[in-house]
Amino acid sequence: MLFDAHCHLDFDSFDADRQAVFERAHAVGVSRFMVPGTTRERWKAVLSLVEKRADVVAALGLHPCFIAQHAAADLEALEEAVAHGHRLVGIGECGIDARFEATLERQWELFEAQLQLAKRYRLPVIIHCVHADDQVAKRLKQLDLPARGLIHAFGGSPEQARRFVDLGYWLGLGGAVTYDRAKRLHRAVRAIPDDGFVLETDSPDMPLAGRQGQRNEPAHLEETLARVALLRGQDADWVAAKAWDNTHRLFRLEAASP
């Protein structure tokens, strides 16, 4: 039993074969999916998936890489959606991407507003954090969020991993772990405690080693599982069960055992 803790199955790149994508995932044991929103324009598609499929849960957020598409009114719309439920189990994808230096000030404004929203409604946050692990960890510690959340696509050091885990956050392990050159990340994967990680694909992005240039999809999660188990020296079935439990605890979902 596998839970893809982060996949954008609402994206247009799945429009032609979305049902087949779900079927391929189920065929290899991926039975639940977290779909986070990235822009207000995409929220309708995210919520439509939740309404149609019992195996999908969702979060809504304003992604830092789409900063030009976000308006001040979007934060009000986000709180309205959260306040009225819509079967949401988190806020995100939100965060900081330091590759886009020109928009960093605005990124921090939107990120902090969403963190405060998560704190107010006691929801976990799904955090996009690129080249900003130390700064984000510092801010999370200052805010002392009660619901914690997910550091999506973690790619940092063992020390940074420990800092996030100590703050109560889970680390999302995805396709990056399959690359032989990711030595620092491999050290972190070995060091993360058993209750500190989840598995994710970030579909259609974050392709695995050997699949560069291809669309990623949840069925590939079993390859990430195999590499994580190998790195940690643990049985793959045990790692899958632990990640399943961790993801359910993260999003406060029922059925926390496969």
Side-chain angles (χ1 to χ4, degrees):
M1 298 282 282
L2 289 169
F3 195 142
D4 190 340
H6 192 109
C7 50
H8 297 285
L9 299 179
D10 61 300
F11 278 15
D12 296 345
S13 55
F14 292 110
D15 284 353
D17 64 341
R18 186 172 285 107
Q19 180 58 34
V21 168
F22 279 108
E23 291 172 359
R24 286 192 291 271
H26 280 283
V28 298
V30 185
S31 58
R32 297 198 83 172
F33 312 84
M34 157 53 74
V35 179
T38 54
T39 65
R40 184 179 179 181
E41 182 181 15
R42 300 275 353 143
W43 294 350
K44 183 178 180 180
V46 171
L47 295 173
S48 177
L49 277 177
V50 175
E51 292 167 0
K52 292 175 181 176
R53 302 192 60 96
D55 54 359
V56 172
V57 295
L60 298 182
L62 301 171
H63 194 297
C65 291
F66 303 102
I67 200 79
Q69 298 181 40
H70 305 325
D74 294 345
L75 284 170
E76 297 176 8
L78 179 57
E79 179 156 17
E80 178 75 9
V82 171
H84 288 84
H86 291 302
R87 293 174 59 191
L88 301 177
V89 299
I91 289 177
E93 182 174 354
C94 58
I96 300 295
D97 195 317
R99 294 173 299 180
F100 302 100
E101 188 173 353
T103 64
L104 272 176
E105 182 177 354
R106 180 58 176 155
Q107 286 185 48
W108 278 106
E109 290 175 359
L110 282 176
F111 182 38
E112 296 213 6
Q114 290 173 89
L115 290 175
Q116 293 292 350
L117 189 61
K119 185 172 184 177
R120 193 151 60 247
Y121 287 91
R122 303 189 65 84
L123 286 171
V125 283
I126 300 170
I127 298 176
H128 174 103
C129 184
V130 177
H131 301 323
D133 286 338
D134 294 335
Q135 298 93 323
V136 167
K138 179 179 179 181
R139 190 63 183 126
L140 293 176
K141 183 176 182 179
Q142 292 171 338
L143 287 174
D144 189 27
L145 299 180
R148 311 306 182 188
L150 169 65
I151 306 301
H152 157 58
F154 178 75
S157 68
E159 295 76 20
Q160 289 167 328
R162 171 52 66 181
R163 192 172 302 128
F164 282 126
V165 170
D166 286 347
L167 287 169
Y169 288 79
W170 283 263
L171 304 176
L173 303 180
V177 305
T178 65
Y179 289 83
D180 291 339
R181 65 178 181 270
K183 302 300 184 185
R184 184 179 73 160
L185 175 57
H186 292 170
R187 292 194 299 273
V189 170
R190 295 186 186 101
I192 298 170
D194 292 336
D195 59 356
F197 69 90
V198 300
L199 301 175
E200 59 178 25
T201 62
D202 197 27
S203 303
D205 300 318
M206 272 176 56
L208 284 67
R211 297 183 182 274
Q212 294 92 323
Q214 300 178 25
R215 184 191 69 177
N216 197 8
E217 62 178 76
H220 300 158
L221 191 63
E222 62 171 352
E223 297 176 42
T224 298
L225 164 66
R227 190 59 181 269
V228 170
L230 180 64
L231 288 168
R232 294 175 63 83
Q234 295 171 326
D235 177 76
D237 287 342
W238 189 92
V239 172
K242 179 55 67 174
W244 174 271
D245 279 348
N246 290 345
T247 311
H248 281 81
R249 286 199 302 273
L250 163 61
F251 294 116
R252 297 179 175 177
L253 299 170
E254 296 180 359
S257 296

mmCIF file of all heavy atoms in Angstrom, residues 91-135:
data_model
loop_
_atom_site.group_PDB
_atom_site.id
_atom_site.type_symbol
_atom_site.label_atom_id
_atom_site.label_comp_id
_atom_site.label_asym_id
_atom_site.label_seq_id
_atom_site.Cartn_x
_atom_site.Cartn_y
_atom_site.Cartn_z
ATOM 1 N N ILE A 91 -2.914 23.123 3.625
ATOM 2 C CA ILE A 91 -2.723 24.354 2.864
ATOM 3 C C ILE A 91 -1.413 24.246 2.114
ATOM 4 O O ILE A 91 -0.374 23.934 2.685
ATOM 5 C CB ILE A 91 -2.732 25.577 3.795
ATOM 6 C CG1 ILE A 91 -4.155 25.809 4.327
ATOM 7 C CG2 ILE A 91 -2.221 26.831 3.068
ATOM 8 C CD1 ILE A 91 -4.272 26.945 5.304
ATOM 9 N N GLY A 92 -1.468 24.488 0.820
ATOM 10 C CA GLY A 92 -0.274 24.398 0.002
ATOM 11 C C GLY A 92 -0.626 23.913 -1.401
ATOM 12 O O GLY A 92 -1.755 23.484 -1.649
ATOM 13 N N GLU A 93 0.202 24.068 -2.258
ATOM 14 C CA GLU A 93 1.648 24.146 -2.105
ATOM 15 C C GLU A 93 2.043 25.613 -1.977
ATOM 16 O O GLU A 93 1.673 26.435 -2.800
ATOM 17 C CB GLU A 93 2.311 23.500 -3.307
ATOM 18 C CG GLU A 93 3.802 23.451 -3.285
ATOM 19 C CD GLU A 93 4.373 22.650 -4.453
ATOM 20 O OE1 GLU A 93 3.610 22.050 -5.212
ATOM 21 O OE2 GLU A 93 5.597 22.634 -4.600
ATOM 22 N N CYS A 94 2.800 25.911 -0.959
ATOM 23 C CA CYS A 94 3.277 27.264 -0.740
ATOM 24 C C CYS A 94 4.749 27.188 -0.335
ATOM 25 O O CYS A 94 5.268 26.099 -0.116
ATOM 26 C CB CYS A 94 2.462 27.962 0.349
ATOM 27 S SG CYS A 94 2.472 27.114 1.951
ATOM 28 N N GLY A 95 5.416 28.323 -0.235
ATOM 29 C CA GLY A 95 6.799 28.271 0.210
ATOM 30 C C GLY A 95 7.706 29.291 -0.439
ATOM 31 O O GLY A 95 7.258 30.355 -0.875
ATOM 32 N N ILE A 96 8.991 28.921 -0.509
ATOM 33 C CA ILE A 96 10.032 29.826 -0.995
ATOM 34 C C ILE A 96 10.900 29.109 -2.019
ATOM 35 O O ILE A 96 11.375 27.986 -1.778
ATOM 36 C CB ILE A 96 10.933 30.319 0.165
ATOM 37 C CG1 ILE A 96 10.102 31.068 1.209
ATOM 38 C CG2 ILE A 96 12.083 31.183 -0.355
ATOM 39 C CD1 ILE A 96 9.477 32.351 0.706
ATOM 40 N N ASP A 97 11.110 29.765 -3.157
ATOM 41 C CA ASP A 97 12.027 29.252 -4.176
ATOM 42 C C ASP A 97 13.051 30.343 -4.456
ATOM 43 O O ASP A 97 12.772 31.304 -5.171
ATOM 44 C CB ASP A 97 11.271 28.882 -5.451
ATOM 45 C CG ASP A 97 12.104 28.016 -6.387
ATOM 46 O OD1 ASP A 97 13.310 28.327 -6.567
ATOM 47 O OD2 ASP A 97 11.570 27.032 -6.927
ATOM 48 N N ALA A 98 14.235 30.187 -3.857
ATOM 49 C CA ALA A 98 15.257 31.230 -3.922
ATOM 50 C C ALA A 98 15.912 31.347 -5.288
ATOM 51 O O ALA A 98 16.720 32.261 -5.508
ATOM 52 C CB ALA A 98 16.321 30.983 -2.855
ATOM 53 N N ARG A 99 15.583 30.454 -6.213
ATOM 54 C CA ARG A 99 16.091 30.605 -7.581
ATOM 55 C C ARG A 99 15.510 31.857 -8.240
ATOM 56 O O ARG A 99 16.115 32.419 -9.152
ATOM 57 C CB ARG A 99 15.745 29.368 -8.417
ATOM 58 C CG ARG A 99 16.430 28.090 -7.970
ATOM 59 C CD ARG A 99 15.904 26.890 -8.735
ATOM 60 N NE ARG A 99 14.470 26.693 -8.527
ATOM 61 C CZ ARG A 99 13.767 25.703 -9.084
ATOM 62 N NH1 ARG A 99 14.388 24.845 -9.894
ATOM 63 N NH2 ARG A 99 12.477 25.575 -8.843
ATOM 64 N N PHE A 100 14.340 32.281 -7.769
ATOM 65 C CA PHE A 100 13.668 33.452 -8.341
ATOM 66 C C PHE A 100 13.882 34.636 -7.402
ATOM 67 O O PHE A 100 12.969 35.071 -6.679
ATOM 68 C CB PHE A 100 12.184 33.147 -8.553
ATOM 69 C CG PHE A 100 11.951 31.955 -9.441
ATOM 70 C CD1 PHE A 100 11.656 30.714 -8.882
ATOM 71 C CD2 PHE A 100 12.053 32.062 -10.813
ATOM 72 C CE1 PHE A 100 11.444 29.603 -9.681
ATOM 73 C CE2 PHE A 100 11.844 30.958 -11.630
ATOM 74 C CZ PHE A 100 11.545 29.725 -11.062
ATOM 75 N N GLU A 101 15.083 35.164 -7.427
ATOM 76 C CA GLU A 101 15.495 36.173 -6.451
ATOM 77 C C GLU A 101 14.681 37.453 -6.554
ATOM 78 O O GLU A 101 14.391 38.098 -5.543
ATOM 79 C CB GLU A 101 16.981 36.480 -6.633
ATOM 80 C CG GLU A 101 17.569 37.364 -5.562
ATOM 81 C CD GLU A 101 19.079 37.501 -5.688
ATOM 82 O OE1 GLU A 101 19.669 36.796 -6.530
ATOM 83 O OE2 GLU A 101 19.648 38.299 -4.943
ATOM 84 N N ALA A 102 14.275 37.810 -7.760
ATOM 85 C CA ALA A 102 13.566 39.070 -7.953
ATOM 86 C C ALA A 102 12.213 39.088 -7.264
ATOM 87 O O ALA A 102 11.676 40.167 -6.961
ATOM 88 C CB ALA A 102 13.390 39.350 -9.448
ATOM 89 N N THR A 103 11.647 37.924 -6.995
ATOM 90 C CA THR A 103 10.312 37.880 -6.387
ATOM 91 C C THR A 103 10.346 37.422 -4.935
ATOM 92 O O THR A 103 9.284 37.158 -4.345
ATOM 93 C CB THR A 103 9.392 36.923 -7.179
ATOM 94 O OG1 THR A 103 9.893 35.571 -7.090
ATOM 95 C CG2 THR A 103 9.302 37.347 -8.635
ATOM 96 N N LEU A 104 11.514 37.338 -4.328
ATOM 97 C CA LEU A 104 11.616 36.770 -2.986
ATOM 98 C C LEU A 104 10.791 37.531 -1.946
ATOM 99 O O LEU A 104 10.167 36.914 -1.075
ATOM 100 C CB LEU A 104 13.081 36.711 -2.545
ATOM 101 C CG LEU A 104 13.837 35.444 -2.934
ATOM 102 C CD1 LEU A 104 15.304 35.547 -2.524
ATOM 103 C CD2 LEU A 104 13.200 34.213 -2.291
ATOM 104 N N GLU A 105 10.784 38.839 -2.020
ATOM 105 C CA GLU A 105 10.021 39.605 -1.030
ATOM 106 C C GLU A 105 8.544 39.243 -1.094
ATOM 107 O O GLU A 105 7.897 39.007 -0.057
ATOM 108 C CB GLU A 105 10.212 41.109 -1.262
ATOM 109 C CG GLU A 105 9.494 41.967 -0.231
ATOM 110 C CD GLU A 105 9.755 43.458 -0.423
ATOM 111 O OE1 GLU A 105 10.580 43.818 -1.288
ATOM 112 O OE2 GLU A 105 9.120 44.257 0.304
ATOM 113 N N ARG A 106 8.000 39.185 -2.310
ATOM 114 C CA ARG A 106 6.594 38.828 -2.470
ATOM 115 C C ARG A 106 6.353 37.364 -2.076
ATOM 116 O O ARG A 106 5.310 37.031 -1.486
ATOM 117 C CB ARG A 106 6.159 39.075 -3.920
ATOM 118 C CG ARG A 106 4.706 38.734 -4.216
ATOM 119 C CD ARG A 106 3.753 39.506 -3.346
ATOM 120 N NE ARG A 106 2.356 39.242 -3.708
ATOM 121 C CZ ARG A 106 1.339 39.369 -2.877
ATOM 122 N NH1 ARG A 106 1.546 39.781 -1.636
ATOM 123 N NH2 ARG A 106 0.109 39.119 -3.267
ATOM 124 N N GLN A 107 7.317 36.482 -2.392
ATOM 125 C CA GLN A 107 7.191 35.082 -1.986
ATOM 126 C C GLN A 107 7.034 34.955 -0.474
ATOM 127 O O GLN A 107 6.170 34.225 0.013
ATOM 128 C CB GLN A 107 8.422 34.287 -2.427
ATOM 129 C CG GLN A 107 8.513 33.975 -3.906
ATOM 130 C CD GLN A 107 9.716 33.083 -4.195
ATOM 131 O OE1 GLN A 107 9.948 32.074 -3.535
ATOM 132 N NE2 GLN A 107 10.499 33.467 -5.195
ATOM 133 N N TRP A 108 7.871 35.679 0.266
ATOM 134 C CA TRP A 108 7.802 35.609 1.719
ATOM 135 C C TRP A 108 6.474 36.150 2.242
ATOM 136 O O TRP A 108 5.890 35.612 3.201
ATOM 137 C CB TRP A 108 8.968 36.365 2.355
ATOM 138 C CG TRP A 108 10.230 35.563 2.418
ATOM 139 C CD1 TRP A 108 11.340 35.709 1.641
ATOM 140 C CD2 TRP A 108 10.507 34.474 3.306
ATOM 141 N NE1 TRP A 108 12.292 34.777 1.989
ATOM 142 C CE2 TRP A 108 11.810 34.003 3.014
ATOM 143 C CE3 TRP A 108 9.785 33.848 4.322
ATOM 144 C CZ2 TRP A 108 12.398 32.951 3.691
ATOM 145 C CZ3 TRP A 108 10.365 32.790 5.008
ATOM 146 C CH2 TRP A 108 11.658 32.348 4.694
ATOM 147 N N GLU A 109 5.964 37.204 1.625
ATOM 148 C CA GLU A 109 4.677 37.765 2.052
ATOM 149 C C GLU A 109 3.563 36.730 1.909
ATOM 150 O O GLU A 109 2.767 36.508 2.837
ATOM 151 C CB GLU A 109 4.341 39.004 1.218
ATOM 152 C CG GLU A 109 5.217 40.215 1.503
ATOM 153 C CD GLU A 109 4.914 41.366 0.560
ATOM 154 O OE1 GLU A 109 4.023 41.198 -0.325
ATOM 155 O OE2 GLU A 109 5.549 42.425 0.685
ATOM 156 N N LEU A 110 3.512 36.088 0.737
ATOM 157 C CA LEU A 110 2.467 35.093 0.495
ATOM 158 C C LEU A 110 2.659 33.848 1.365
ATOM 159 O O LEU A 110 1.687 33.277 1.873
ATOM 160 C CB LEU A 110 2.456 34.700 -0.983
ATOM 161 C CG LEU A 110 1.805 35.686 -1.946
ATOM 162 C CD1 LEU A 110 1.964 35.199 -3.380
ATOM 163 C CD2 LEU A 110 0.331 35.876 -1.614
ATOM 164 N N PHE A 111 3.903 33.435 1.523
ATOM 165 C CA PHE A 111 4.193 32.261 2.334
ATOM 166 C C PHE A 111 3.769 32.483 3.779
ATOM 167 O O PHE A 111 3.073 31.657 4.385
ATOM 168 C CB PHE A 111 5.688 31.948 2.238
ATOM 169 C CG PHE A 111 6.119 30.716 2.997
ATOM 170 C CD1 PHE A 111 5.330 29.584 3.061
ATOM 171 C CD2 PHE A 111 7.347 30.684 3.637
ATOM 172 C CE1 PHE A 111 5.738 28.450 3.748
ATOM 173 C CE2 PHE A 111 7.779 29.560 4.321
ATOM 174 C CZ PHE A 111 6.964 28.445 4.384
ATOM 175 N N GLU A 112 4.153 33.595 4.333
ATOM 176 C CA GLU A 112 3.827 33.858 5.733
ATOM 177 C C GLU A 112 2.318 34.015 5.931
ATOM 178 O O GLU A 112 1.777 33.579 6.957
ATOM 179 C CB GLU A 112 4.581 35.092 6.230
ATOM 180 C CG GLU A 112 6.091 34.881 6.218
ATOM 181 C CD GLU A 112 6.803 35.617 7.338
ATOM 182 O OE1 GLU A 112 6.107 36.205 8.191
ATOM 183 O OE2 GLU A 112 8.033 35.576 7.377
ATOM 184 N N ALA A 113 1.643 34.594 4.960
ATOM 185 C CA ALA A 113 0.191 34.711 5.071
ATOM 186 C C ALA A 113 -0.460 33.326 5.089
ATOM 187 O O ALA A 113 -1.418 33.081 5.838
ATOM 188 C CB ALA A 113 -0.359 35.533 3.906
ATOM 189 N N GLN A 114 0.069 32.414 4.287
ATOM 190 C CA GLN A 114 -0.480 31.053 4.257
ATOM 191 C C GLN A 114 -0.108 30.269 5.514
ATOM 192 O O GLN A 114 -0.900 29.451 6.004
ATOM 193 C CB GLN A 114 -0.016 30.338 2.992
ATOM 194 C CG GLN A 114 -0.663 30.919 1.735
ATOM 195 C CD GLN A 114 -0.098 30.346 0.455
ATOM 196 O OE1 GLN A 114 -0.582 29.334 -0.053
ATOM 197 N NE2 GLN A 114 0.934 30.986 -0.086
ATOM 198 N N LEU A 115 1.069 30.517 6.054
ATOM 199 C CA LEU A 115 1.437 29.891 7.329
ATOM 200 C C LEU A 115 0.508 30.349 8.445
ATOM 201 O O LEU A 115 0.079 29.550 9.293
ATOM 202 C CB LEU A 115 2.884 30.221 7.681
ATOM 203 C CG LEU A 115 3.977 29.582 6.815
ATOM 204 C CD1 LEU A 115 5.343 30.099 7.222
ATOM 205 C CD2 LEU A 115 3.940 28.059 6.920
ATOM 206 N N GLN A 116 0.194 31.618 8.459
ATOM 207 C CA GLN A 116 -0.717 32.131 9.480
ATOM 208 C C GLN A 116 -2.116 31.541 9.315
ATOM 209 O O GLN A 116 -2.806 31.250 10.303
ATOM 210 C CB GLN A 116 -0.774 33.662 9.421
ATOM 211 C CG GLN A 116 0.514 34.357 9.815
ATOM 212 C CD GLN A 116 0.859 34.187 11.300
ATOM 213 O OE1 GLN A 116 0.048 33.710 12.090
ATOM 214 N NE2 GLN A 116 2.066 34.577 11.672
ATOM 215 N N LEU A 117 -2.521 31.350 8.074
ATOM 216 C CA LEU A 117 -3.813 30.730 7.797
ATOM 217 C C LEU A 117 -3.831 29.287 8.304
ATOM 218 O O LEU A 117 -4.802 28.839 8.924
ATOM 219 C CB LEU A 117 -4.098 30.776 6.297
ATOM 220 C CG LEU A 117 -5.498 30.365 5.834
ATOM 221 C CD1 LEU A 117 -6.552 31.281 6.441
ATOM 222 C CD2 LEU A 117 -5.567 30.391 4.320
ATOM 223 N N ALA A 118 -2.730 28.578 8.058
ATOM 224 C CA ALA A 118 -2.618 27.204 8.542
ATOM 225 C C ALA A 118 -2.664 27.159 10.059
ATOM 226 O O ALA A 118 -3.297 26.271 10.659
ATOM 227 C CB ALA A 118 -1.319 26.579 8.037
ATOM 228 N N LYS A 119 -2.026 28.122 10.681
ATOM 229 C CA LYS A 119 -2.024 28.169 12.139
ATOM 230 C C LYS A 119 -3.428 28.453 12.677
ATOM 231 O O LYS A 119 -3.876 27.831 13.651
ATOM 232 C CB LYS A 119 -1.046 29.240 12.612
ATOM 233 C CG LYS A 119 -0.863 29.299 14.123
ATOM 234 C CD LYS A 119 0.266 30.249 14.494
ATOM 235 C CE LYS A 119 0.530 30.235 15.995
ATOM 236 N NZ LYS A 119 1.684 31.103 16.361
ATOM 237 N N ARG A 120 -4.131 29.359 12.009
ATOM 238 C CA ARG A 120 -5.468 29.743 12.457
ATOM 239 C C ARG A 120 -6.457 28.583 12.350
ATOM 240 O O ARG A 120 -7.301 28.395 13.237
ATOM 241 C CB ARG A 120 -5.953 30.938 11.623
ATOM 242 C CG ARG A 120 -7.176 31.633 12.150
ATOM 243 C CD ARG A 120 -7.181 33.100 11.757
ATOM 244 N NE ARG A 120 -7.176 33.334 10.322
ATOM 245 C CZ ARG A 120 -6.155 33.884 9.658
ATOM 246 N NH1 ARG A 120 -5.051 34.250 10.286
ATOM 247 N NH2 ARG A 120 -6.233 34.087 8.345
ATOM 248 N N TYR A 121 -6.337 27.797 11.274
ATOM 249 C CA TYR A 121 -7.275 26.695 11.060
ATOM 250 C C TYR A 121 -6.685 25.336 11.453
ATOM 251 O O TYR A 121 -7.316 24.310 11.216
ATOM 252 C CB TYR A 121 -7.724 26.674 9.590
ATOM 253 C CG TYR A 121 -8.676 27.804 9.279
ATOM 254 C CD1 TYR A 121 -8.201 29.036 8.824
ATOM 255 C CD2 TYR A 121 -10.043 27.656 9.475
ATOM 256 C CE1 TYR A 121 -9.065 30.082 8.553
ATOM 257 C CE2 TYR A 121 -10.920 28.697 9.202
ATOM 258 C CZ TYR A 121 -10.422 29.906 8.745
ATOM 259 O OH TYR A 121 -11.287 30.941 8.489
ATOM 260 N N ARG A 122 -5.488 25.352 12.036
ATOM 261 C CA ARG A 122 -4.835 24.138 12.524
ATOM 262 C C ARG A 122 -4.737 23.072 11.438
ATOM 263 O O ARG A 122 -5.072 21.902 11.628
ATOM 264 C CB ARG A 122 -5.555 23.585 13.761
ATOM 265 C CG ARG A 122 -5.643 24.584 14.912
ATOM 266 C CD ARG A 122 -6.162 23.965 16.186
ATOM 267 N NE ARG A 122 -5.237 22.963 16.714
ATOM 268 C CZ ARG A 122 -4.179 23.239 17.482
ATOM 269 N NH1 ARG A 122 -3.890 24.502 17.785
ATOM 270 N NH2 ARG A 122 -3.412 22.274 17.929
ATOM 271 N N LEU A 123 -4.236 23.492 10.286
ATOM 272 C CA LEU A 123 -4.039 22.599 9.156
ATOM 273 C C LEU A 123 -2.551 22.465 8.859
ATOM 274 O O LEU A 123 -1.784 23.423 9.024
ATOM 275 C CB LEU A 123 -4.741 23.142 7.909
ATOM 276 C CG LEU A 123 -6.261 23.036 7.874
ATOM 277 C CD1 LEU A 123 -6.806 23.817 6.688
ATOM 278 C CD2 LEU A 123 -6.714 21.581 7.813
ATOM 279 N N PRO A 124 -2.113 21.296 8.402
ATOM 280 C CA PRO A 124 -0.711 21.156 7.990
ATOM 281 C C PRO A 124 -0.442 21.937 6.710
ATOM 282 O O PRO A 124 -1.353 22.164 5.908
ATOM 283 C CB PRO A 124 -0.557 19.648 7.762
ATOM 284 C CG PRO A 124 -1.932 19.167 7.463
ATOM 285 C CD PRO A 124 -2.863 20.038 8.273
ATOM 286 N N VAL A 125 0.799 22.354 6.537
ATOM 287 C CA VAL A 125 1.201 23.085 5.329
ATOM 288 C C VAL A 125 2.083 22.197 4.461
ATOM 289 O O VAL A 125 2.862 21.390 4.969
ATOM 290 C CB VAL A 125 1.957 24.387 5.675
ATOM 291 C CG1 VAL A 125 1.005 25.451 6.110
ATOM 292 C CG2 VAL A 125 3.031 24.141 6.721
ATOM 293 N N ILE A 126 1.948 22.352 3.164
ATOM 294 C CA ILE A 126 2.787 21.648 2.192
ATOM 295 C C ILE A 126 3.751 22.688 1.636
ATOM 296 O O ILE A 126 3.339 23.610 0.927
ATOM 297 C CB ILE A 126 1.937 21.025 1.085
ATOM 298 C CG1 ILE A 126 0.948 20.026 1.686
ATOM 299 C CG2 ILE A 126 2.816 20.349 0.047
ATOM 300 C CD1 ILE A 126 -0.088 19.543 0.703
ATOM 301 N N ILE A 127 5.030 22.515 1.958
ATOM 302 C CA ILE A 127 6.008 23.583 1.732
ATOM 303 C C ILE A 127 6.980 23.246 0.605
ATOM 304 O O ILE A 127 7.676 22.232 0.643
ATOM 305 C CB ILE A 127 6.786 23.875 3.032
ATOM 306 C CG1 ILE A 127 5.821 24.353 4.114
ATOM 307 C CG2 ILE A 127 7.880 24.907 2.785
ATOM 308 C CD1 ILE A 127 6.473 24.568 5.466
ATOM 309 N N HIS A 128 7.012 24.132 -0.378
ATOM 310 C CA HIS A 128 7.994 24.106 -1.458
ATOM 311 C C HIS A 128 9.192 24.924 -0.971
ATOM 312 O O HIS A 128 9.043 26.105 -0.649
ATOM 313 C CB HIS A 128 7.368 24.738 -2.711
ATOM 314 C CG HIS A 128 8.290 24.910 -3.860
ATOM 315 N ND1 HIS A 128 8.283 24.067 -4.961
ATOM 316 C CD2 HIS A 128 9.251 25.844 -4.118
ATOM 317 C CE1 HIS A 128 9.190 24.471 -5.837
ATOM 318 N NE2 HIS A 128 9.787 25.554 -5.347
ATOM 319 N N CYS A 129 10.349 24.299 -0.891
ATOM 320 C CA CYS A 129 11.511 24.963 -0.287
ATOM 321 C C CYS A 129 12.754 24.640 -1.117
ATOM 322 O O CYS A 129 13.306 23.547 -1.034
ATOM 323 C CB CYS A 129 11.672 24.454 1.152
ATOM 324 S SG CYS A 129 12.988 25.252 2.062
ATOM 325 N N VAL A 130 13.181 25.595 -1.937
ATOM 326 C CA VAL A 130 14.332 25.383 -2.830
ATOM 327 C C VAL A 130 15.411 26.406 -2.505
ATOM 328 O O VAL A 130 15.166 27.625 -2.553
ATOM 329 C CB VAL A 130 13.912 25.499 -4.310
ATOM 330 C CG1 VAL A 130 15.132 25.358 -5.217
ATOM 331 C CG2 VAL A 130 12.874 24.433 -4.648
ATOM 332 N N HIS A 131 16.591 25.912 -2.152
ATOM 333 C CA HIS A 131 17.727 26.757 -1.778
ATOM 334 C C HIS A 131 17.370 27.710 -0.632
ATOM 335 O O HIS A 131 17.860 28.844 -0.581
ATOM 336 C CB HIS A 131 18.241 27.557 -2.978
ATOM 337 C CG HIS A 131 18.691 26.714 -4.133
ATOM 338 N ND1 HIS A 131 19.341 25.509 -3.965
ATOM 339 C CD2 HIS A 131 18.592 26.902 -5.476
ATOM 340 C CE1 HIS A 131 19.627 24.991 -5.162
ATOM 341 N NE2 HIS A 131 19.168 25.820 -6.083
ATOM 342 N N ALA A 132 16.498 27.257 0.264
ATOM 343 C CA ALA A 132 16.083 28.129 1.369
ATOM 344 C C ALA A 132 15.778 27.323 2.625
ATOM 345 O O ALA A 132 15.014 27.784 3.478
ATOM 346 C CB ALA A 132 14.860 28.936 0.942
ATOM 347 N N ASP A 133 16.364 26.145 2.758
ATOM 348 C CA ASP A 133 16.050 25.281 3.900
ATOM 349 C C ASP A 133 16.302 25.968 5.240
ATOM 350 O O ASP A 133 15.462 25.913 6.151
ATOM 351 C CB ASP A 133 16.857 23.982 3.826
ATOM 352 C CG ASP A 133 16.337 23.022 2.769
ATOM 353 O OD1 ASP A 133 15.162 23.146 2.392
ATOM 354 O OD2 ASP A 133 17.099 22.149 2.328
ATOM 355 N N ASP A 134 17.458 26.598 5.373
ATOM 356 C CA ASP A 134 17.804 27.205 6.661
ATOM 357 C C ASP A 134 16.879 28.364 7.000
ATOM 358 O O ASP A 134 16.424 28.504 8.150
ATOM 359 C CB ASP A 134 19.262 27.675 6.656
ATOM 360 C CG ASP A 134 20.248 26.523 6.558
ATOM 361 O OD1 ASP A 134 19.889 25.393 6.967
ATOM 362 O OD2 ASP A 134 21.369 26.741 6.066
ATOM 363 N N GLN A 135 16.585 29.210 6.018
ATOM 364 C CA GLN A 135 15.729 30.363 6.260
ATOM 365 C C GLN A 135 14.297 29.932 6.590
ATOM 366 O O GLN A 135 13.657 30.500 7.481
ATOM 367 C CB GLN A 135 15.727 31.282 5.028
ATOM 368 C CG GLN A 135 17.085 31.860 4.690
ATOM 369 C CD GLN A 135 17.846 31.010 3.669
ATOM 370 O OE1 GLN A 135 17.786 29.783 3.692
ATOM 371 N NE2 GLN A 135 18.568 31.698 2.787
#
